[in-house]
Amino acid sequence: MRLKYPMSTQSDHRLGIALSLVANAVWGGAAFYWMQTRPVAAIDVLGHRGVWTLPAVFLVLLWLGKVRATFVLLRDVKTLAWMALAAALISVNWGTFLYAVTSGHATEASLGYFLLPILSVLLGMLVFREIPTGPQRVAVVMGVIAIGIQLVAVGGLPVISLGLALSFACYGAIRKRIRADAIQGLFAESLFLFPVGLAWILSHGGAGLGEHGLRVDLFLVGAGAFTAIPLLTHVTASRLLPLSTVGLLSYIGPSLQLIVAQLFLGESISALTLSAFVLVWLGLAFIVVDNLRQFRRMRRSL
């Protein structure tokens, strides 16, 4: 049965879909952007991202009229402490992804983001004492098996995949404890990342800035906007769409990452790694079906 929306709701729904597609397309094609920063080293690019994200997000806060409310949040010492830890985790995530897409490991990065929802379920069980549903348990088991298969495929621990998934899952768990929304949180995290990134750039002779031509410089400086824009569109879409829809659309990002890695970056995928992807996709299918059932039950109860 097709759901019928009032005219305003239909418009919001279409806008939400469009914004979510923009966010996931940017994230999915992120490798194209970061490849343009070559031959600057990934650690130097991370320094620039830490510096230029702060002014970009501050402009977004100004546009949204949230500057004052954000600084009120930052007066709380406990919130600041959690934000500092979140900043450390997101920097690990960013750095790992930058290294992956600039060193021929974009396929492993894609697997990491496919594993993320499954590890988030596992983290909810261990940290928040959440009780998983049957389909979620099946998905977790499949995810664990997929990690084991990838361990065999790469001849060791799949550091990139696990590093990306674990750092972002832990980051999400911390953000769950903080009252700030996504943009406010990113601004607070940027406050911690800015001095570290600036110190790195100054102590490394500009960290590639001004050394490889104007085009590379523009991509380095634009790293902040590239970070803020998809987050802003994703947050807006999350407010306009049901969470189940947002969850389904979020799989577009890692799917595009895999396509980019295979078709445009010239990476190959072994049969073992492909089987790990298949297991993760099956696990995600269990989670998606379970979420849709819960969403339908909620709608019937209203």
Side-chain angles (χ1 to χ4, degrees), residues 264-287:
F264 298 99
L265 302 184
E267 294 188 13
S268 60
I269 186 169
S270 67
L272 278 174
T273 297
L274 181 59
S275 64
F277 269 102
V278 171
L279 272 175
V280 171
W281 287 328
L282 288 174
L284 290 176
F286 276 98
I287 292 178

Side-chain angles (χ1 to χ4, degrees), residues 149-165:
I149 291 174
Q150 189 64 358
L151 189 150
V152 175
V154 300
L157 197 66
V159 177
I160 291 175
S161 300
L162 283 178
L164 284 169

